[in-house]
Amino acid sequence: MKRSFAPIGVFDSGVGGLTVLKALRERLPTEDFVYLGDTARFPYGRKPKDMIAGFSRQNARFLESQGVKAVVIACNTASSCALPEIDVPVFEVIEPGVAAAKAAFKGGVIGVVATKGTIHNAVYQKRLEALGLSVWARACPMLAPLVEEGLAAEDEAILLIEHYLKDRPVNLDALVLGCTHYPVLKAAFQAHLGGSVEVVDSASTTAERVAAQLEARGFLSTTGRGEVTHFVTGDPQSYQHTASVIGGVDGEIHHLEIEELLSAGSQRAERRGQSALKVVA
Amino acid sequence: MKRSFAPIGVFDSGVGGLTVLKALRERLPTEDFVYLGDTARFPYGRKPKDMIAGFSRQNARFLESQGVKAVVIACNTASSCALPEIDVPVFEVIEPGVAAAKAAFKGGVIGVVATKGTIHNAVYQKRLEALGLSVWARACPMLAPLVEEGLAAEDEAILLIEHYLKDRPVNLDALVLGCTHYPVLKAAFQAHLGGSVEVVDSASTTAERVAAQLEARGFLSTTGRGEVTHFVTGDPQSYQHTASVIGGVDGEIHHLEIEELLSAGSQRAERRGQSALKVVA
């Protein structure tokens, strides 16, 4: 198969990454996708970094075994750990958001909202401060559950956004949504902040980055139809239900046992090892 | 084994039922327990009733295969579906709460707070109204996630409880906490409502019911030590972490594949079938 005809692989620990998938499909309507929701091992945010890096490697290798031409890590936790070293380009969701925040900087403060883990580990703060920007950060532990409960357009969303932003600095230039669930709340954040603050979401900025890089490598397809094949390591029915709050699932959903995920990925790694040996010989 | 020495089995779709387990251990300190957290099939609230009844039967049979003398369904959703027919007494969490609310009724209104599913299906409303009581019901979809995020003592808890109770009638006699997660918020509810409203939680009322019934049957143990063996169908590490917000897990945690759960339960059902045949023969 010519590489440009191959699908793009996307993975997350759950449904949050579907916002990234949605942005990718909008930006790249003639591509097809394989989405892996590793819900059996959800949540990633509470596990050690080396364990998450291991999950990332396993997930990326599984996606490689499905013939993808690139892997998008649609998860802030996994993006902040060691990235998998595989044969196709790997994209993560943090750097594109940081770059967009830098572009929006006008001498004030860049705000970051994310889960407890991402804020506690200063994932965005470190990178933004390294660029010389002033940063205000706020953990919003109730916002991902809010989105998953399907309440993004309800009173609870306004109540909690007001609560989490009540101590924000007056001179905020941009607010980075540092969690893949939050693009669903983008309009609510924007309404609360008004037009003078740029709300940066990692979904659309990552989609832009992926499009630019694949184009530069000549990897873009013109014949895909926006089709998505879903693999989910946990319960497919729960996945489908939760996914419905993030735009839903319109492709096939396959249940994937962790054992199958591991064996598909390791067979792929073995084949690569063998062909590398051949080249050397 | 003499029946009174056997442990008490408890199951839930996740960690919520640990509040019931905690109340049982406090009320019955000389009993041992087997807790099954069916996290691989969580959440139950979004699945069809006959499917949940099937899960209940499978879970109850698995607990029977572990030699329990009674099964406590520590889950409102499963309690509202058909109860499993097994060889040991089965307890559910709704009826004890309804009875306590009736006892607290002084001619005003009984309030019920629960998940969307429990309120939407009028699980408590129907039973309370059948007793001739006036009922006010409010779905609180963010409160179970709040407890699981470990925020029961944080600002978000007060904010959301205020929000959910703002339209409550002035003549509330009692508020039934119709979700097994909510006992963790009992003090916050009580503080908000003041001393004139009785806050009824299903955990302690169910523990009371179980104690009375087992005593009446001569099934109570005097030699147990409050020990708990946990079985979890999903990821044990995620379970342990989430459980830490509901008093934690101080016993062994065993991972249990759904296949093992099913086969242990069906072997048990088969043995019962055979011994029944023998008796008939």
Side-chain angles (χ1 to χ4, degrees), chain A residues 197-243:
Chain A
V197 180
E198 185 165 337
V199 178
V200 172
D201 80 86
S202 44
S204 57
T205 50
T206 299
E208 210 50 66
R209 174 76 57 102
V210 172
Q213 292 277 323
L214 291 186
E215 189 173 16
R217 293 172 195 229
F219 284 4
L220 284 185
S221 171
T222 51
T223 56
R225 303 172 63 174
E227 284 173 5
V228 187
T229 307
H230 296 261
F231 289 92
V232 53
T233 57
D235 180 61
Q237 203 183 1
S238 302
Y239 171 76
Q240 186 158 32
H241 181 93
T242 311

Side-chain angles (χ1 to χ4, degrees), chain B residues 14-270:
Chain B
V15 299
L18 292 172
T19 62
V20 180
L21 177 67
K22 192 176 172 214
L24 283 164
R25 290 173 81 193
E26 283 166 9
R27 180 65 186 77
L28 296 166
T30 57
E31 298 289 341
D32 296 321
F33 299 88
V34 180
Y35 185 89
L36 169 61
D38 188 14
T39 53
R41 300 190 287 193
F42 174 89
Y44 281 7
R46 296 164 176 171
K47 298 192 171 82
K49 277 201 139 192
D50 54 347
M51 184 183 282
I52 304 306
F55 292 171
S56 264
R57 193 168 51 242
Q58 292 158 5
N59 295 344
R61 282 184 178 169
F62 170 77
L63 289 169
E64 263 197 308
S65 79
Q66 300 301 305
V68 301
K69 64 184 169 193
V71 167
V72 182
I73 304 179
C75 167
N76 278 275
T77 301
S79 291
S80 72
C81 299
L83 301 185
E85 292 182 12
I86 53 174
D87 288 344
V88 300
V90 172
F91 298 91
E92 49 86 20
V93 289
I94 298 166
E95 194 50 42
V98 168
K102 189 182 175 223
F105 183 67
K106 296 178 209 138
V109 176
I110 301 296
V112 181
V113 284
T115 61
K116 249 191 217 173
T118 299
I119 297 298
H120 179 78
N121 294 323
V123 169
Y124 281 87
Q125 297 97 302
K126 278 182 206 159
R127 300 195 196 194
L128 290 164
E129 284 164 2
L131 297 172
L133 310 179
S134 298
V135 182
W136 173 82
R138 180 69 157 105
C140 306
M142 288 310 291
L143 294 188
L146 175 99
V147 169
E148 296 210 356
E149 289 292 328
L151 301 172
E154 303 297 325
D155 290 351
E156 288 97 328
I158 298 166
L159 189 75
L160 287 165
I161 287 174
E162 274 175 11
H163 174 70
Y164 289 128
L165 295 185
K166 68 174 188 279
D167 300 322
R168 73 180 187 278
V170 288
N171 57 338
L172 212 57
D173 289 332
L175 182 72
V176 181
L177 307 184
C179 168
T180 53
H181 284 76
Y182 298 180
V184 179
L185 295 166
K186 189 173 184 179
F189 272 111
Q190 193 71 70
H192 183 72
L193 290 167
S196 65
V197 180
E198 186 165 336
V199 179
V200 173
D201 80 87
S202 45
S204 56
T205 51
T206 299
E208 210 50 67
R209 175 76 57 101
V210 172
Q213 293 278 324
L214 292 187
E215 189 172 17
R217 293 170 195 231
F219 283 3
L220 283 186
S221 171
T222 50
T223 56
R225 303 172 62 175
E227 283 172 6
V228 187
T229 307
H230 296 261
F231 290 92
V232 53
T233 57
D235 180 60
Q237 203 182 2
S238 302
Y239 172 77
Q240 185 158 31
H241 181 94
T242 311
S244 69
V245 303
I246 310 188
V249 167
D250 59 3
E252 279 177 23
I253 304 179
H254 301 277
H255 177 63
L256 178 74
E257 294 286 349
I258 296 290
E259 289 70 27
E260 296 173 71
L261 183 156
L262 296 179
S263 80
S266 64
Q267 278 164 22
R268 158 77 203 177
E270 227 166 75

Side-chain angles (χ1 to χ4, degrees), chain A residues 12-14 38 41-53 55 75-81 115-121 123 179 181, chain B residues 149 235 237-238 241-242:
Chain A
D12 181 27
S13 57
D38 188 14
R41 300 190 287 193
F42 174 89
Y44 281 7
R46 295 162 177 174
K47 297 194 172 82
K49 277 201 139 193
D50 55 347
M51 184 183 282
I52 304 306
F55 292 172
C75 166
N76 279 274
T77 302
S79 291
S80 72
C81 299
T115 61
K116 249 191 217 171
T118 299
I119 297 299
H120 180 78
N121 293 322
V123 169
C179 168
H181 284 76
Chain B
E149 289 292 328
D235 180 60
Q237 203 182 2
S238 302
H241 181 94
T242 311

